[in-house]
Amino acid sequence: MTREAATGEAANGETAQASATLDIGPAETPPIDLEHLRAWSNGDEQFVRELIDLYLEQTIGQLTLLRTAHAARSAADVEHVAHSCKGASGTFGAVRLAPLFFRLELAGREQRLDQAAPLIAEIEREFARLNSFLQQSLTAGSMMESQA
Amino acid sequence: MSKLLMIDDDPVVTKVYQNLFRLHGFDTEVAADGAQGLALVQRFRPDVVLLDLGMPLMSGVQWLNRIRADERFRDLPVVVLTAGTIGWQVSAARNSDVTYILSKEDADPAKVLDAVRAALASGGRKLELMDAD
């Protein structure tokens, strides 16, 4: 498949891409793809630690914004923040969070705020699991070697 | 050393990509929004731009339209990096002569580097590259 064709799915058939991307995998899936993180960091432990701190801090702030947007019944803000979280989570390698944020983005875009509350709750559970996983990995030693 | 300007409002994304391009010998500058991007493209004179589409205040598409209206940057290679489900934005970006479109979800370091290097070699032409797989 050409890359043009791949992006064309987004341009011409959001539903097609959504169905391909919404698979969040089983709950026992590790919350982060460490191989992905290694590939992007080139094995730079210090960089990975800084990136983890930045991602956690940024996402905690964005979860607050999401709760505020949902409480204010602002579907547009829910969509916007979820879209941003999706990009950061995908780049970071948070393999279950990224598609959950995508679901929330779609719910916001389609004004389905009744579906946003359970999604936000699920996102918060998954984020807590990721946070715990990362803290344990950092405490245990090298992120570059854990689960290798 | 090739000069790359990245325009993206997400600190996690820019940190990851800035590190990647630094490791591979690029001189890289980052703009956190379109306005900064407009200023930097004139001051820094990049050889290639890596552009997010979904930014507040000035979208990537608006940025592209501004830059393509300036004769100096009409052929500047631009690689779009998007969290990509906003279909109309992707379509509009294609119409603004982007060189390449990448998805943040599917991107890996090799793909991104390949796309940027191909864009640099393209002279601004649109590319129809094949995925390795």
Side-chain angles (χ1 to χ4, degrees), chain B residues 100-120:
Chain B
Y100 214 89
I101 299 177
L102 288 171
S103 162
K104 285 180 182 173
E105 285 84 355
D106 300 334
D108 65 48
K111 271 188 185 178
V112 173
L113 286 165
D114 282 353
V116 167
R117 287 173 177 147
L120 276 166

Side-chain angles (χ1 to χ4, degrees), chain A residues 3-4 7 10 14 58 86, chain B residues 10 83-85 87 94 100 131:
Chain A
R3 296 184 194 199
E4 291 289 319
T7 54
E14 294 178 14
Q58 177 172 307
K86 179 188 68 177
Chain B
D10 191 301
T85 57
R94 286 169 181 275
Y100 214 89
D131 271 331

Side-chain angles (χ1 to χ4, degrees), chain A residues 25-58:
Chain A
E28 62 271 22
T29 302
I32 183 167
D33 180 354
L34 288 175
E35 285 300 323
H36 173 97
L37 206 54
R38 289 187 192 101
W40 282 99
S41 64
N42 203 32
D44 183 340
E45 180 86 26
Q46 179 62 30
F47 170 77
V48 169
R49 287 174 179 269
E50 290 173 8
L51 184 64
I52 288 169
D53 287 344
L54 178 63
Y55 174 78
L56 292 176
E57 182 183 358
Q58 177 172 307

Side-chain angles (χ1 to χ4, degrees), chain A residues 62-129:
Chain A
Q62 287 172 318
L63 289 176
T64 301
L65 290 176
L66 275 175
R67 286 190 292 269
T68 303
H70 183 254
R73 309 295 294 168
S74 173
D77 286 347
V78 167
E79 177 191 358
H80 171 72
V81 178
H83 176 80
S84 176
C85 291
K86 179 188 68 177
S89 296
T91 301
F92 184 68
V95 290
R96 292 190 80 244
L97 269 177
L100 283 169
F101 280 124
F102 186 21
R103 286 184 180 178
L104 186 59
E105 178 189 356
L106 291 177
R109 187 179 310 164
E110 295 166 4
Q111 309 272 325
R112 291 183 281 107
L113 284 178
D114 56 319
Q115 296 177 14
L119 272 173
I120 291 171
E122 188 171 357
I123 284 168
E124 288 181 330
R125 282 194 297 273
E126 179 62 20
F127 180 73
R129 193 170 77 99

Side-chain angles (χ1 to χ4, degrees), chain B residues 51-69:
Chain B
L51 175 69
D52 184 28
L53 291 185
M55 295 183 290
L57 304 178
M58 183 190 297
S59 73
V61 172
Q62 290 171 317
W63 190 89
L64 266 171
N65 289 337
R66 290 280 294 273
I67 223 68
R68 292 307 189 211

